[in-house]
Amino acid sequence: FPEMLSNPRLVSVQRTLIVMMNQNESLSCHSDSGLPPVKYTLFKHNQNVSTLKSPVITPGLFNLTINCASDVGEYKCKAENEVSSGRKHSNSLNLTLIGPISKPVLSSPTSQATKGQNVTLSCLSESVSLPITYIFFKGKQNISPAMKTCKKEAAVIFLCISSSSDFRTYKCKAENRFHHSTKYSNGFNFTLADVHVVHSQPLITSLGLILLLFVIGFALATPFFIIPSYKASE
């Protein structure tokens, strides 16, 4: 009886799953047993990447070039021959892209604040090399723990403007696993809002609303006064 085809093993020839942009990566798919020829197929996220046939029981070697972020992620391979029924699938390998991090941008929904007001700051790097760790600073003082994210999303902190020192310059730092890859953001400052303007805005809004209601009421009531007067004159 022919030897049954075994489940293939998918391994990185370079023995690393961390890759850089424009790097060549080789993945080996190999079934230890089974009657040749064996057809190997490489998949990425269940999409066919490449197929090759091995005339003997030797590894199928797939050569990749990492050109963009879509070239990394989960890879699997499949083995099949003309004797064994069904297909044999391998373990999965996850390639992670790493490279220099881009300069983060520090921003807030508001640039003006009053004492006692709660504000937010967000820090985001457009780098495709994840995970990214963010830290916030006020002046040279660290004001947040290290905030690690595995998604392309901003790190956010919540602050209360309680004293004049809270109007100092804020910055954030972003770093990933790439060697010596650390970037600092632009500086951001909150300015003290004019308290009189802030307090007068609700009053102005209320007066405007009252005036609008008065005009609408006058327009609706006018026909009731004009028509009777017109009939009386007849």
Side-chain angles (χ1 to χ4, degrees), residues 18-37:
I18 299 176
V19 296
M20 292 185 291
M21 198 71 76
N22 301 319
Q23 176 181 326
N24 293 324
E25 177 75 8
S26 296
L27 300 181
S28 170
C29 183
H30 184 216
S31 289
D32 293 326
S33 63
L35 190 67

Side-chain angles (χ1 to χ4, degrees), residues 49-100:
V49 175
S50 182
T51 300
L52 53 86
K53 267 191 177 183
S54 178
V56 294
I57 294 296
T58 56
L61 194 62
F62 297 94
N63 297 311
L64 308 172
T65 301
I66 307 302
N67 292 316
C68 57
S70 62
D71 292 330
V72 298
E74 183 185 66
Y75 284 87
K76 287 185 178 182
C77 70
K78 175 184 68 178
E80 53 190 333
N81 62 10
E82 298 174 358
V83 178
S84 300
S85 59
R87 302 163 180 173
K88 303 293 184 178
H89 292 83
S90 75
N91 55 294
S92 62
L93 284 183
N94 276 287
L95 298 183
T96 301
L97 182 65
I98 189 169

